Amino acid sequence: MPVDQQWPEVNQAFSKQSSHFDVDDSSNPVLPLWRKRIYQNVENFLKPHSFILELNSGTGIDAIHFASKGHRVHATDLSGGMIETLQRKVTQLSLEKEISIQQVSFENLNQLNGEFDFVFSNFGGLNCTSDLKKVTRHLPSLLKAGGVATWVIMPRFCPWEWLWLLKGKFKMAGRRWMRTGAPSHLEGHYFLTYYFSLSEIKMSLPEGFQLIKCESLGFCAPPPAATQFVKRFPGITRFLNRLDQLLSSRFPFNRWGDHLIVTFKKIS
Ligand SMILES: C[S@@+](CC[C@H](N)C(=O)[O-])C[C@H]1O[C@@H](n2cnc3c(N)ncnc32)[C@H](O)[C@@H]1O
């Protein structure tokens, strides 16, 4: 499928997923812990009362968290279902002043108005684009001077996925290295997912932007998909989680894992 034609499939897949996204998220034994680690990381860079642009916000779990901490959020997503779910939650929680919502692809951020203190993208939404520059080209006009962006994005090098080699699943083990995208299947829809090394992410940054931090999630800790392992081996999981936190900010482990938390700043 030509890369630009996959957006209707992506929209439909995530719209179907939106009806059970929050339940899946909170019942996963890994995701809530990882969100906490992401929030701790982001808090180092978020100034009080920031105006945050959230890309691929999904059902707004993070937008609602940031609103509860006194920030204002403009939450955006491609998927109609995700946007409807977020809209319902914002109305129920009376958060209309704190959270505004717009259905837009992160490749079309020229449709946005305003300048932001912080741009945030969580849990691999950006892995749906084949070319990060289609997103980063909009950042100079969207971020205020000194503004910061944090992206939680899936890299190419993920030791946990090598375990598939032991099961003879060679294609799965090598999927993150496919230059033309890895076939993904979600809710009966097919699209391509793209993975990016830290150097590729750095190369996509516009002039005047500088990488200021990179931390990994799941270099050795079991990833969200390894629910069976986590349930079967709670002691080993606890040990691996502790080791993961110890290594996650140190070179070279900070660039290998299931996800990376990459933070960069507009310096000029
Ligand atoms: C795995 S979900 C993560 C949602 C949310 N960030 C979270 O952490 O709960 C990925 C999200 O990326 C969104 N997405 C995929 N392609 C997109 C695009 N081109 N523009 C904006 N959002 C997109 C999907 O609709 C979905 O909501």
Side-chain angles (χ1 to χ4, degrees):
M1 178 189 306
V3 284
D4 287 335
Q5 286 176 22
Q6 76 162 353
W7 297 125
E9 282 293 304
V10 173
N11 181 349
Q12 285 173 48
F14 282 107
S15 288
K16 279 190 192 162
Q17 198 192 33
S18 66
S19 62
H20 54 89
F21 189 88
D22 285 5
V23 176
D24 294 352
D25 188 275
S26 57
S27 60
N28 184 286
V30 175
L31 283 171
L33 187 84
W34 280 17
R35 275 196 204 273
K36 261 195 205 155
R37 282 178 62 185
I38 293 163
Y39 295 154
Q40 278 166 5
N41 188 306
V42 165
E43 274 155 24
N44 294 318
F45 306 102
L46 254 184
K47 295 196 183 110
H49 310 294
S50 284
F51 188 21
I52 301 173
L53 168 62
E54 185 174 7
L55 312 180
N56 51 266
S57 62
T59 61
I61 297 171
D62 300 322
I64 291 168
H65 167 81
F66 290 129
S68 78
K69 300 285 174 193
H71 304 291
R72 227 160 24 103
V73 185
H74 187 61
T76 62
D77 199 283
L78 172 81
S79 146
M82 290 287 185
I83 290 287
E84 273 168 35
T85 307
L86 170 56
Q87 187 69 67
R88 238 185 345 264
K89 286 162 73 176
V90 165
T91 308
Q92 272 163 11
L93 297 167
S94 303
L95 285 172
E96 290 88 349
K97 277 197 189 133
E98 291 83 1
I99 301 179
S100 52
I101 300 169
Q102 185 173 353
Q103 184 178 5
V104 63
S105 168
F106 44 52
E107 291 190 354
N108 299 330
L109 296 176
N110 52 317
Q111 294 176 18
L112 264 61
N113 293 317
E115 272 197 315
F116 301 86
D117 301 294
F118 200 91
V119 179
F120 181 65
S121 163
N122 205 359
F123 282 140
L126 286 169
N127 292 92
C128 292
T129 183
S130 61
D131 182 359
L132 285 175
K133 281 189 180 158
K134 289 184 180 168
V135 185
T136 57
R137 64 185 168 171
H138 302 291
L139 290 178
S141 59
L142 288 171
L143 259 182
K144 292 179 189 166
V148 170
T150 294
W151 289 354
V152 183
I153 188 165
M154 291 183 281
R156 292 190 185 273
F157 200 84
C158 176
W160 260 89
E161 293 197 357
W162 298 345
L163 296 177
W164 276 323
L165 289 176
L166 302 176
K167 292 188 169 178
K169 295 184 175 176
F170 301 108
K171 246 188 165 169
M172 290 287 277
R175 67 183 178 145
R176 292 191 183 219
W177 296 92
M178 291 181 186
R179 295 276 158 193
T180 50
S184 302
H185 177 223
L186 180 68
E187 306 277 348
H189 294 275
Y190 294 84
F191 53 92
L192 294 171
T193 301
Y194 302 85
Y195 299 87
F196 304 98
S197 66
L198 180 61
S199 337
E200 287 168 317
I201 297 168
K202 267 158 77 177
M203 269 169 8
S204 76
L205 299 183
E207 215 172 290
F209 281 74
Q210 195 176 62
L211 179 82
I212 52 174
K213 186 163 186 193
C214 182
E215 183 177 326
S216 60
L217 282 169
F219 163 67
C220 52
T227 44
Q228 295 306 328
F229 181 94
V230 174
K231 284 179 186 155
R232 243 177 109 189
F233 306 109
I236 300 177
T237 299
R238 267 195 303 278
F239 169 73
L240 291 174
N241 280 340
R242 272 205 294 274
L243 193 62
D244 205 71
Q245 296 204 37
L246 213 72
L247 298 175
S248 62
S249 296
R250 291 168 203 252
F251 176 85
F253 313 108
N254 66 341
R255 53 196 66 205
W256 301 337
D258 188 56
H259 281 76
L260 300 183
I261 312 172
V262 183
T263 302
F264 46 95
K265 187 171 183 170
K266 182 177 175 180
I267 49 169
S268 60

PDB file of all heavy atoms in Angstrom, residues 45-65:
ATOM      1  N   PHE A  45      10.995  18.679  32.552  1.00  0.00           N
ATOM      2  CA  PHE A  45      11.073  19.708  31.504  1.00  0.00           C
ATOM      3  C   PHE A  45       9.826  20.589  31.424  1.00  0.00           C
ATOM      4  O   PHE A  45       9.848  21.617  30.765  1.00  0.00           O
ATOM      5  CB  PHE A  45      11.290  19.043  30.134  1.00  0.00           C
ATOM      6  CG  PHE A  45      12.483  18.128  30.116  1.00  0.00           C
ATOM      7  CD1 PHE A  45      12.330  16.755  30.188  1.00  0.00           C
ATOM      8  CD2 PHE A  45      13.764  18.654  30.068  1.00  0.00           C
ATOM      9  CE1 PHE A  45      13.431  15.907  30.205  1.00  0.00           C
ATOM     10  CE2 PHE A  45      14.878  17.820  30.085  1.00  0.00           C
ATOM     11  CZ  PHE A  45      14.702  16.447  30.152  1.00  0.00           C
ATOM     12  N   LEU A  46       8.748  20.167  32.095  1.00  0.00           N
ATOM     13  CA  LEU A  46       7.489  20.916  31.992  1.00  0.00           C
ATOM     14  C   LEU A  46       7.452  22.055  32.988  1.00  0.00           C
ATOM     15  O   LEU A  46       7.563  21.820  34.197  1.00  0.00           O
ATOM     16  CB  LEU A  46       6.326  19.974  32.316  1.00  0.00           C
ATOM     17  CG  LEU A  46       5.447  19.474  31.183  1.00  0.00           C
ATOM     18  CD1 LEU A  46       4.306  18.643  31.749  1.00  0.00           C
ATOM     19  CD2 LEU A  46       4.921  20.591  30.315  1.00  0.00           C
ATOM     20  N   LYS A  47       7.294  23.282  32.477  1.00  0.00           N
ATOM     21  CA  LYS A  47       7.161  24.423  33.398  1.00  0.00           C
ATOM     22  C   LYS A  47       5.721  24.471  33.904  1.00  0.00           C
ATOM     23  O   LYS A  47       4.812  24.006  33.204  1.00  0.00           O
ATOM     24  CB  LYS A  47       7.494  25.710  32.647  1.00  0.00           C
ATOM     25  CG  LYS A  47       8.933  25.768  32.198  1.00  0.00           C
ATOM     26  CD  LYS A  47       9.326  27.193  31.818  1.00  0.00           C
ATOM     27  CE  LYS A  47      10.742  27.226  31.313  1.00  0.00           C
ATOM     28  NZ  LYS A  47      10.867  27.480  29.889  1.00  0.00           N
ATOM     29  N   PRO A  48       5.494  25.061  35.096  1.00  0.00           N
ATOM     30  CA  PRO A  48       4.120  25.148  35.606  1.00  0.00           C
ATOM     31  C   PRO A  48       3.215  25.868  34.608  1.00  0.00           C
ATOM     32  O   PRO A  48       3.659  26.780  33.916  1.00  0.00           O
ATOM     33  CB  PRO A  48       4.269  25.972  36.897  1.00  0.00           C
ATOM     34  CG  PRO A  48       5.706  25.866  37.271  1.00  0.00           C
ATOM     35  CD  PRO A  48       6.487  25.642  36.015  1.00  0.00           C
ATOM     36  N   HIS A  49       1.974  25.451  34.548  1.00  0.00           N
ATOM     37  CA  HIS A  49       0.943  26.069  33.699  1.00  0.00           C
ATOM     38  C   HIS A  49       1.352  26.133  32.228  1.00  0.00           C
ATOM     39  O   HIS A  49       1.200  27.148  31.575  1.00  0.00           O
ATOM     40  CB  HIS A  49       0.571  27.468  34.221  1.00  0.00           C
ATOM     41  CG  HIS A  49       0.273  27.470  35.687  1.00  0.00           C
ATOM     42  ND1 HIS A  49      -0.808  26.807  36.215  1.00  0.00           N
ATOM     43  CD2 HIS A  49       0.943  28.019  36.723  1.00  0.00           C
ATOM     44  CE1 HIS A  49      -0.805  26.954  37.527  1.00  0.00           C
ATOM     45  NE2 HIS A  49       0.241  27.679  37.863  1.00  0.00           N
ATOM     46  N   SER A  50       1.922  25.067  31.737  1.00  0.00           N
ATOM     47  CA  SER A  50       2.337  25.023  30.323  1.00  0.00           C
ATOM     48  C   SER A  50       1.139  24.826  29.410  1.00  0.00           C
ATOM     49  O   SER A  50       0.096  24.288  29.818  1.00  0.00           O
ATOM     50  CB  SER A  50       3.304  23.862  30.101  1.00  0.00           C
ATOM     51  OG  SER A  50       4.574  24.171  30.604  1.00  0.00           O
ATOM     52  N   PHE A  51       1.321  25.252  28.159  1.00  0.00           N
ATOM     53  CA  PHE A  51       0.338  24.970  27.115  1.00  0.00           C
ATOM     54  C   PHE A  51       0.941  23.849  26.274  1.00  0.00           C
ATOM     55  O   PHE A  51       1.965  24.028  25.610  1.00  0.00           O
ATOM     56  CB  PHE A  51       0.088  26.232  26.287  1.00  0.00           C
ATOM     57  CG  PHE A  51      -1.046  26.123  25.301  1.00  0.00           C
ATOM     58  CD1 PHE A  51      -2.054  25.168  25.442  1.00  0.00           C
ATOM     59  CD2 PHE A  51      -1.132  27.007  24.219  1.00  0.00           C
ATOM     60  CE1 PHE A  51      -3.109  25.076  24.537  1.00  0.00           C
ATOM     61  CE2 PHE A  51      -2.180  26.918  23.308  1.00  0.00           C
ATOM     62  CZ  PHE A  51      -3.153  25.954  23.473  1.00  0.00           C
ATOM     63  N   ILE A  52       0.316  22.669  26.343  1.00  0.00           N
ATOM     64  CA  ILE A  52       0.882  21.460  25.728  1.00  0.00           C
ATOM     65  C   ILE A  52       0.111  21.105  24.450  1.00  0.00           C
ATOM     66  O   ILE A  52      -1.119  21.100  24.440  1.00  0.00           O
ATOM     67  CB  ILE A  52       0.768  20.258  26.707  1.00  0.00           C
ATOM     68  CG1 ILE A  52       1.507  20.572  28.011  1.00  0.00           C
ATOM     69  CG2 ILE A  52       1.293  18.979  26.069  1.00  0.00           C
ATOM     70  CD1 ILE A  52       1.318  19.521  29.100  1.00  0.00           C
ATOM     71  N   LEU A  53       0.869  20.793  23.393  1.00  0.00           N
ATOM     72  CA  LEU A  53       0.247  20.201  22.204  1.00  0.00           C
ATOM     73  C   LEU A  53       0.482  18.706  22.281  1.00  0.00           C
ATOM     74  O   LEU A  53       1.638  18.262  22.340  1.00  0.00           O
ATOM     75  CB  LEU A  53       0.892  20.771  20.927  1.00  0.00           C
ATOM     76  CG  LEU A  53       0.545  20.025  19.629  1.00  0.00           C
ATOM     77  CD1 LEU A  53      -0.957  20.092  19.338  1.00  0.00           C
ATOM     78  CD2 LEU A  53       1.337  20.603  18.448  1.00  0.00           C
ATOM     79  N   GLU A  54      -0.599  17.941  22.316  1.00  0.00           N
ATOM     80  CA  GLU A  54      -0.416  16.489  22.331  1.00  0.00           C
ATOM     81  C   GLU A  54      -0.741  15.907  20.959  1.00  0.00           C
ATOM     82  O   GLU A  54      -1.829  16.131  20.411  1.00  0.00           O
ATOM     83  CB  GLU A  54      -1.278  15.815  23.408  1.00  0.00           C
ATOM     84  CG  GLU A  54      -0.947  14.325  23.439  1.00  0.00           C
ATOM     85  CD  GLU A  54      -1.598  13.522  24.538  1.00  0.00           C
ATOM     86  OE1 GLU A  54      -2.451  14.060  25.262  1.00  0.00           O
ATOM     87  OE2 GLU A  54      -1.244  12.335  24.649  1.00  0.00           O
ATOM     88  N   LEU A  55       0.219  15.165  20.404  1.00  0.00           N
ATOM     89  CA  LEU A  55       0.006  14.472  19.132  1.00  0.00           C
ATOM     90  C   LEU A  55      -0.475  13.063  19.435  1.00  0.00           C
ATOM     91  O   LEU A  55      -0.146  12.507  20.476  1.00  0.00           O
ATOM     92  CB  LEU A  55       1.321  14.397  18.335  1.00  0.00           C
ATOM     93  CG  LEU A  55       2.132  15.691  18.202  1.00  0.00           C
ATOM     94  CD1 LEU A  55       3.391  15.440  17.376  1.00  0.00           C
ATOM     95  CD2 LEU A  55       1.283  16.781  17.564  1.00  0.00           C
ATOM     96  N   ASN A  56      -1.228  12.491  18.546  1.00  0.00           N
ATOM     97  CA  ASN A  56      -1.776  11.121  18.693  1.00  0.00           C
ATOM     98  C   ASN A  56      -2.206  10.842  20.141  1.00  0.00           C
ATOM     99  O   ASN A  56      -1.752   9.910  20.785  1.00  0.00           O
ATOM    100  CB  ASN A  56      -0.796  10.053  18.182  1.00  0.00           C
ATOM    101  CG  ASN A  56       0.613  10.134  18.727  1.00  0.00           C
ATOM    102  OD1 ASN A  56       1.492  10.744  18.121  1.00  0.00           O
ATOM    103  ND2 ASN A  56       0.828   9.544  19.882  1.00  0.00           N
ATOM    104  N   SER A  57      -3.131  11.688  20.623  1.00  0.00           N
ATOM    105  CA  SER A  57      -3.513  11.670  22.044  1.00  0.00           C
ATOM    106  C   SER A  57      -4.364  10.462  22.426  1.00  0.00           C
ATOM    107  O   SER A  57      -4.546  10.206  23.615  1.00  0.00           O
ATOM    108  CB  SER A  57      -4.302  12.934  22.366  1.00  0.00           C
ATOM    109  OG  SER A  57      -5.483  12.949  21.579  1.00  0.00           O
ATOM    110  N   GLY A  58      -4.889   9.730  21.439  1.00  0.00           N
ATOM    111  CA  GLY A  58      -5.753   8.593  21.765  1.00  0.00           C
ATOM    112  C   GLY A  58      -6.962   9.059  22.550  1.00  0.00           C
ATOM    113  O   GLY A  58      -7.555  10.109  22.266  1.00  0.00           O
ATOM    114  N   THR A  59      -7.332   8.301  23.593  1.00  0.00           N
ATOM    115  CA  THR A  59      -8.526   8.630  24.383  1.00  0.00           C
ATOM    116  C   THR A  59      -8.244   9.694  25.446  1.00  0.00           C
ATOM    117  O   THR A  59      -9.092   9.968  26.288  1.00  0.00           O
ATOM    118  CB  THR A  59      -9.060   7.373  25.095  1.00  0.00           C
ATOM    119  OG1 THR A  59      -8.011   6.906  25.975  1.00  0.00           O
ATOM    120  CG2 THR A  59      -9.430   6.266  24.126  1.00  0.00           C
ATOM    121  N   GLY A  60      -7.028  10.234  25.440  1.00  0.00           N
ATOM    122  CA  GLY A  60      -6.734  11.370  26.321  1.00  0.00           C
ATOM    123  C   GLY A  60      -6.280  11.014  27.728  1.00  0.00           C
ATOM    124  O   GLY A  60      -6.355  11.855  28.636  1.00  0.00           O
ATOM    125  N   ILE A  61      -5.758   9.816  27.918  1.00  0.00           N
ATOM    126  CA  ILE A  61      -5.277   9.430  29.264  1.00  0.00           C
ATOM    127  C   ILE A  61      -4.231  10.444  29.748  1.00  0.00           C
ATOM    128  O   ILE A  61      -4.276  10.919  30.883  1.00  0.00           O
ATOM    129  CB  ILE A  61      -4.686   7.997  29.234  1.00  0.00           C
ATOM    130  CG1 ILE A  61      -5.773   6.985  28.869  1.00  0.00           C
ATOM    131  CG2 ILE A  61      -4.026   7.646  30.578  1.00  0.00           C
ATOM    132  CD1 ILE A  61      -5.278   5.578  28.594  1.00  0.00           C
ATOM    133  N   ASP A  62      -3.292  10.794  28.854  1.00  0.00           N
ATOM    134  CA  ASP A  62      -2.222  11.726  29.252  1.00  0.00           C
ATOM    135  C   ASP A  62      -2.739  13.165  29.323  1.00  0.00           C
ATOM    136  O   ASP A  62      -2.337  13.921  30.204  1.00  0.00           O
ATOM    137  CB  ASP A  62      -1.047  11.639  28.271  1.00  0.00           C
ATOM    138  CG  ASP A  62      -0.463  10.236  28.219  1.00  0.00           C
ATOM    139  OD1 ASP A  62      -0.386   9.596  29.287  1.00  0.00           O
ATOM    140  OD2 ASP A  62      -0.134   9.771  27.117  1.00  0.00           O
ATOM    141  N   ALA A  63      -3.620  13.531  28.406  1.00  0.00           N
ATOM    142  CA  ALA A  63      -4.167  14.898  28.424  1.00  0.00           C
ATOM    143  C   ALA A  63      -4.870  15.146  29.758  1.00  0.00           C
ATOM    144  O   ALA A  63      -4.689  16.204  30.387  1.00  0.00           O
ATOM    145  CB  ALA A  63      -5.139  15.080  27.257  1.00  0.00           C
ATOM    146  N   ILE A  64      -5.637  14.174  30.225  1.00  0.00           N
ATOM    147  CA  ILE A  64      -6.361  14.321  31.495  1.00  0.00           C
ATOM    148  C   ILE A  64      -5.366  14.376  32.660  1.00  0.00           C
ATOM    149  O   ILE A  64      -5.519  15.166  33.592  1.00  0.00           O
ATOM    150  CB  ILE A  64      -7.401  13.183  31.658  1.00  0.00           C
ATOM    151  CG1 ILE A  64      -8.510  13.397  30.614  1.00  0.00           C
ATOM    152  CG2 ILE A  64      -7.960  13.116  33.075  1.00  0.00           C
ATOM    153  CD1 ILE A  64      -9.456  12.239  30.426  1.00  0.00           C
ATOM    154  N   HIS A  65      -4.296  13.583  32.571  1.00  0.00           N
ATOM    155  CA  HIS A  65      -3.257  13.639  33.616  1.00  0.00           C
ATOM    156  C   HIS A  65      -2.638  15.036  33.666  1.00  0.00           C
ATOM    157  O   HIS A  65      -2.524  15.636  34.744  1.00  0.00           O
ATOM    158  CB  HIS A  65      -2.170  12.592  33.338  1.00  0.00           C
ATOM    159  CG  HIS A  65      -0.949  12.779  34.165  1.00  0.00           C
ATOM    160  ND1 HIS A  65      -0.857  12.346  35.477  1.00  0.00           N
ATOM    161  CD2 HIS A  65       0.229  13.422  33.904  1.00  0.00           C
ATOM    162  CE1 HIS A  65       0.317  12.697  35.969  1.00  0.00           C
ATOM    163  NE2 HIS A  65       1.002  13.348  35.037  1.00  0.00           N
TER     164      HIS A  65
END
